[in-house]
Amino acid sequence: MTRKKTDEKLPTNIRERDGKFTYRYRIPITKIINGVEKKDSKEMESPRFDTLGEAEDFGILIKAQKLKKELFYSEKITVSIWGKIWLKDYELEQGIGEETVRLRDYGLGKLNEVFGAFQLRDVTQNAFQQFLNKLKAEGFARSSISLIKSSARMMFSHAVVKGLLTVNPTDGTTIPKDKRQARKPGEKRVVLPKYLEKEELKAFLQLSRFMMHVNYWALFIVLAYTGLRIREAAGLQWEDIDQQRKTIDINKQVKGTSVRKYHFAPTKNIQSERVISYGETVQKALSQLQTWQKNERLSAKGINPKDNFVFWSEYPGYPISVNSIARMMQRVLEAGNLPLNLTAHSFRHTHVSLLASNPKVSLPEIQARIGHKSNSKVTELIYLHVTKHRQMQMADDFEWAINN
């Protein structure tokens, strides 16, 4: 029934024209001006209703959406534009390192190849799932697809938080699984990471004691006896080492284009930030290194005035060169007739294998010590390989348990 036009005052925000009723309201709006996010509001009007009651009901719904913060309007904000804004916010708010920024930028780049020109609200869950399926069909590794998806998920989540979206289109999507293939006759199950056997490690360290400067010898002792990553060790400061309690606080790593142009970066992940213990062998090596450095400081010129590094490069006081470590290691491997395909990272795997050979040490304890995630396949693979003898005995252990 059409309401007759009278002088009766209409409710707030209700307008009448030609016997039809509309509800006017303002809605939050996000604009992108010169790449910067700006907040504003925009006047909107409902569809035209035949009755005043319908227009009032519409207004009630709008007010409810405002209370729930579900009312939004995005003006030409594309996935590509929002991705740039999110990455800047993410880097600032989370304090992430250069490598993480590079990886997230890569993930967004792949997303933009398909959705870059789409407005945020036009990306659907089905379209994103098809995108993941396409990546799999094109031969992308599961780890790469996971990186792309996680970058997209965080970017769209940021849009939800900012009121640009009500749902995240990545929710409920899955990464296609790899099809398991039967192993061919004679094919090994998995290729183990490279590491030294116990006797090989002993031989390497004995040779390095006579072939290397104390600076390098002490470094290899620390790598072998603690399982540190090479850049974690290179970034160590003397204040990170408590020689009374015999602990090392791993809280950063060092990076840079050269030993003089270095900077500190966060550890590889949150699990990598840790405090570990060490024994007498490391203590003796560090003591000898510290004595040498004290004498060197008396005569050396141009010592780094900023930081107190444990391991020096050829420039006194500056961090040791990662490339020089590889060269020094190769000299000792050749002299000891040891496998030449070993690297500085092999000491980390060696540390895992020797700890795993001790029945008292569990896999979670090893992972915590070396700063690996609990789902680390590398650590688990070495652990299972080294403990396979104990695993083979489990059948007899079960027989004894059930019969006694």
Side-chain angles (χ1 to χ4, degrees):
M1 178 178 176
T2 304
R3 176 180 177 274
K4 292 181 179 180
K5 189 171 183 179
T6 68
D7 294 333
E8 181 183 342
K9 186 178 180 180
L10 291 169
T12 304
N13 297 341
I14 299 289
R15 293 196 178 187
E16 182 182 4
R17 182 181 297 173
D18 299 329
K20 300 287 185 179
F21 299 88
T22 59
Y23 181 85
R24 289 198 172 188
Y25 57 100
R26 299 198 72 83
I27 189 169
I29 181 173
T30 300
K31 294 182 178 180
I32 306 300
I33 301 175
N34 295 326
V36 178
E37 179 186 356
K38 299 289 185 181
K39 296 294 185 182
D40 200 349
S41 64
K42 182 181 180 70
E43 188 174 66
M44 304 288 288
E45 188 171 17
S46 72
R48 301 175 71 189
F49 297 105
D50 291 331
T51 67
L52 173 63
E54 288 176 305
E56 289 179 312
D57 289 343
F58 182 87
I60 292 171
L61 291 174
I62 291 296
K63 291 175 182 177
Q65 285 184 299
K66 282 186 176 181
L67 288 173
K68 294 180 181 179
K69 296 183 178 180
E70 293 179 349
L71 197 64
F72 69 95
Y73 180 88
S74 59
E75 188 173 276
K76 296 183 179 179
I77 301 180
T78 63
V79 170
S80 176
I81 290 173
W82 186 250
K84 292 177 182 178
I85 293 172
W86 166 73
L87 192 58
K88 288 181 181 178
D89 288 348
Y90 178 58
E91 183 178 5
L92 180 64
E93 294 168 7
Q94 301 297 322
I96 57 175
E98 295 175 2
E99 182 64 14
T100 303
V101 173
R102 186 187 67 79
L103 291 173
R104 293 303 172 201
D105 191 48
Y106 165 81
L108 292 179
K110 290 299 177 183
L111 182 72
N112 288 338
E113 289 178 7
V114 176
F115 297 110
F118 281 48
Q119 290 194 34
L120 281 172
R121 58 189 176 186
D122 291 337
V123 181
T124 65
Q125 183 193 61
N126 181 62
F128 189 78
Q129 182 63 65
Q130 294 304 313
F131 168 64
L132 296 179
N133 295 346
K134 185 171 181 287
L135 291 174
K136 179 64 179 176
E138 291 176 352
F140 280 78
R142 185 176 178 84
S143 58
S144 297
I145 301 175
S146 178
L147 170 63
I148 296 166
K149 181 184 176 182
S150 64
S151 300
R153 176 182 55 78
M154 289 189 286
M155 185 269 289
F156 283 119
S157 292
H158 193 58
V160 172
V161 170
K162 294 294 185 179
L164 302 178
L165 296 176
T166 54
V167 295
N168 187 327
T170 67
D171 289 347
T173 60
T174 57
I175 299 173
K177 293 183 178 180
D178 295 324
K179 290 183 179 180
R180 295 187 62 190
Q181 302 289 337
R183 275 187 285 150
K184 298 176 182 178
E187 182 182 0
K188 292 184 178 180
R189 185 179 175 213
V190 188
V191 177
L192 280 168
K194 296 173 286 188
Y195 65 88
L196 293 88
E197 298 294 345
K198 181 169 66 175
E199 295 306 318
E200 291 177 330
L201 177 62
K202 287 182 177 180
F204 180 92
L205 294 177
Q206 288 172 355
L207 274 172
S208 64
R209 182 67 184 91
F210 298 101
M211 293 182 63
M212 291 183 181
H213 189 280
V214 63
N215 188 59
Y216 285 95
W217 168 71
L219 172 67
F220 283 115
I221 288 288
V222 169
L223 291 177
Y225 279 74
T226 65
L228 265 65
R229 296 180 178 90
I230 187 61
R231 292 193 180 276
E232 292 173 344
L236 282 179
Q237 310 282 291
W238 281 109
E239 54 264 33
D240 297 325
I241 299 176
D242 188 331
Q243 296 189 60
Q244 295 297 319
R245 295 183 178 181
K246 295 180 182 176
T247 60
I248 301 177
D249 183 353
I250 299 103
N251 52 64
K252 58 187 173 301
Q253 57 180 326
V254 72
K255 293 186 177 182
T257 56
S258 69
V259 294
R260 287 182 179 269
K261 296 180 180 179
Y262 66 87
H263 66 273
F264 293 112
T267 53
K268 184 176 181 181
N269 49 52
I270 193 64
Q271 293 82 9
S272 299
E273 193 167 324
R274 62 205 187 277
V275 176
I276 63 170
S277 60
Y278 63 82
E280 284 298 323
T281 302
V282 172
Q283 181 81 319
K284 291 177 181 178
L286 290 175
S287 295
Q288 291 185 41
L289 178 60
Q290 203 165 32
T291 299
W292 170 77
Q293 285 188 3
K294 286 179 180 178
N295 293 330
E296 190 71 8
R297 286 182 182 277
L298 297 175
S299 58
K301 296 181 180 180
I303 291 182
N304 182 7
K306 294 193 303 179
D307 300 299
N308 194 16
F309 284 100
V310 175
F311 303 108
W312 291 1
S313 68
E314 66 272 23
Y315 300 104
Y318 287 89
I320 197 165
S321 166
V322 174
N323 292 332
S324 69
I325 294 169
R327 291 194 300 271
M328 295 297 292
M329 186 175 176
Q330 284 298 306
R331 286 178 50 198
V332 178
L333 291 174
E334 290 176 5
N337 197 27
L338 296 169
L340 298 179
N341 62 345
L342 296 168
T343 66
H345 202 72
S346 301
F347 288 102
R348 187 167 164 81
H349 297 152
T350 302
H351 192 72
V352 172
S353 70
L354 291 176
L355 284 176
S357 66
N358 186 338
K360 297 180 181 179
V361 183
S362 67
L363 177 58
E365 288 173 318
I366 296 174
Q367 290 170 330
R369 178 172 174 81
I370 67 171
H372 261 176
K373 296 180 180 180
S374 59
N375 61 351
S376 169
K377 296 299 181 184
V378 173
T379 313
E380 184 178 349
L381 185 61
I382 297 174
Y383 183 86
L384 293 175
H385 174 73
V386 173
T387 59
K388 62 184 178 182
H389 178 68
R390 298 207 298 271
Q391 295 171 40
M392 296 300 290
Q393 291 178 325
M394 286 183 183
D396 293 336
D397 293 339
F398 183 82
E399 291 284 350
W400 180 90
I402 201 171
N403 293 318
N404 290 277

